Amino acid sequence: MKIHRNHQPQARLVSRQGQFPLNIVKLGVPRLHFADLYHRLLTLSWPRFFILICLFYIVTNSLFALAYLAGGDCIANARPGSFPDAFYFSVQTMATIGYGAMYPRTDYANTIVAIQALFALWGVAMVTGLAFSRFSRPTARVIFSRVAVIAPFNGVPTLMYRTANQRFNQILEAQQRATLIRDEVTPEGEFMRRFYDLQLVRSHSPIFALTWTVMHAIEESSPLYQLTAQDLMEQQAEIVITLTGIDETVSQTIHARHSFVASEIMWNMRFVDILLKSATGGRVVDYTRFHDVKPVEEKL
């Protein structure tokens, strides 16, 4: 059986922003389902969310303005047939402003006002809840090195990458997992995208405040054992990193994720030291060199 491989530049399974997987097409799944509307509104960017709320506000008041106009001259002190006056009266009703200049003077207008007041109560509660949920979502300000490196460590080839907490607080009980994803063909000729857990030298940190260089020893039990850079490229390999912990400020679980494709794994390179000491003996972290690497003398 002949397997046709895609020789285009390697696609990343995990986006840099950690929002959603990239280059994945789901056939037969509706783009937007009403039951998933809440999740969609939470994941919208802030500019799009703000524009959506503004459009909802304008459209809603416009519809109620048309309803008032359908009742004829039913708003006191409003110009008969004036859409702007009906629109501004709708705005005042929805926002419960009540200047007193315009007011309903027919049973029809009072009925529409009662309906709009109920709708406004529901709408304000929903928008307030959505805005609060978006603001209160726990987020992690964790950065990952742009590249991972493979270099000798204690005489063993070791995969290493660097992470850091950008906030001036601590992440408690931080845990990291690394997973190798690569293309394989089974003895039966079936193509598969397989996942392999990478055993980390230290996967847990009780207090994550500064930087953390995560290591995976490439020993005989490692799925990376005896692989070369060319092998990783041919297998469309990707290393996916997930980090979870508890933010001490809000006491909520936070998470972050990142990935390294084969072209972002540097061989026979090592991260430069960024932990320094000040003149007074204090600890200094030089984040300007966080992503910098240097060649090692002993090559693999």
Side-chain angles (χ1 to χ4, degrees):
M1 178 179 180
K2 186 177 181 180
I3 304 297
H4 297 279
R5 294 182 178 273
N6 184 4
H7 293 286
Q8 298 298 322
Q10 183 174 355
R12 186 184 305 279
L13 179 64
V14 177
S15 66
R16 285 301 189 199
Q17 293 78 17
Q19 295 288 332
F20 5 70
L22 300 179
N23 296 333
I24 295 179
V25 178
K26 296 184 178 180
L27 300 177
V29 179
R31 181 67 177 175
L32 178 61
H33 196 278
F34 183 78
D36 216 24
L37 183 60
Y38 176 72
H39 179 269
R40 181 63 177 172
L41 291 174
L42 287 182
T43 55
L44 278 178
S45 64
W46 275 107
R48 291 184 177 181
F49 179 76
F50 180 75
I51 292 174
L52 182 63
I53 295 302
C54 290
L55 289 175
F56 177 78
Y57 180 79
I58 294 172
V59 170
T60 302
N61 281 294
S62 297
L63 292 176
F64 276 104
L66 293 175
Y68 289 121
L69 291 177
D73 189 13
C74 63
I75 303 174
N77 299 323
R79 291 169 293 179
S82 173
F83 179 81
D85 284 0
F87 180 85
Y88 293 132
F89 176 73
S90 174
V91 170
Q92 294 174 23
T93 302
M94 182 170 289
T96 64
I97 296 174
Y99 289 120
M102 292 187 291
Y103 56 89
R105 63 182 180 184
T106 65
D107 291 339
Y108 174 84
N110 281 309
T111 301
I112 299 300
V113 166
I115 295 174
Q116 186 173 11
L118 179 62
F119 183 84
L121 181 65
W122 174 82
V124 170
M126 290 292 294
V127 173
T128 303
L130 283 170
F132 178 78
S133 297
R134 291 173 64 91
F135 271 112
S136 61
R137 272 192 309 172
T139 56
R141 294 284 295 174
V142 176
I143 57 174
F144 296 83
S145 55
R146 296 192 188 102
V147 298
V149 299
I150 294 180
F153 184 81
N154 290 335
V156 178
T158 303
L159 170 73
M160 293 174 277
Y161 62 90
R162 194 146 61 184
T163 62
N165 180 16
Q166 289 185 291
R167 290 195 175 116
F168 292 92
N169 68 346
Q170 297 177 352
I171 299 176
L172 308 179
E173 301 299 330
Q175 299 185 39
Q176 295 202 45
R177 293 188 61 181
T179 303
L180 171 66
I181 307 173
R182 66 186 182 191
D183 296 344
E184 289 187 6
V185 178
T186 66
E188 294 77 19
E190 295 183 9
F191 172 79
M192 298 184 66
R193 187 76 169 155
R194 302 197 68 172
F195 292 66
Y196 295 91
D197 290 333
L198 300 181
Q199 185 68 34
L200 302 180
V201 175
R202 181 169 63 91
S203 60
H204 173 266
S205 178
I207 297 176
F208 181 25
L210 300 175
T211 65
W212 182 359
T213 300
V214 183
M215 304 181 184
H216 164 71
I218 306 178
E219 301 173 321
E220 291 187 11
S221 59
S222 170
L224 294 173
Y225 186 66
Q226 292 186 339
L227 293 182
T228 64
Q230 184 63 29
D231 293 332
L232 296 181
M233 293 292 292
E234 292 177 353
Q235 296 172 1
Q236 294 283 293
E238 180 178 359
I239 297 176
V240 175
I241 312 299
T242 58
L243 181 148
T244 58
I246 301 174
D247 189 299
E248 67 167 354
T249 303
V250 296
S251 298
Q252 289 183 304
T253 301
I254 58 176
H255 61 87
R257 62 184 182 180
H258 191 79
S259 69
F260 301 100
V261 295
S263 60
E264 296 171 335
I265 301 175
M266 313 295 291
W267 293 70
N268 298 307
M269 304 292 284
R270 192 182 305 278
F271 288 110
V272 300
D273 192 7
I274 60 174
L275 292 177
L276 310 172
K277 284 189 176 181
S278 64
T280 59
R283 186 175 298 175
V284 177
V285 181
D286 185 6
Y287 284 101
T288 62
R289 307 192 66 189
F290 183 80
H291 305 283
D292 293 351
V293 296
K294 62 181 180 181
V296 297
E297 298 180 358
E298 179 186 353
K299 294 186 177 182
L300 298 174

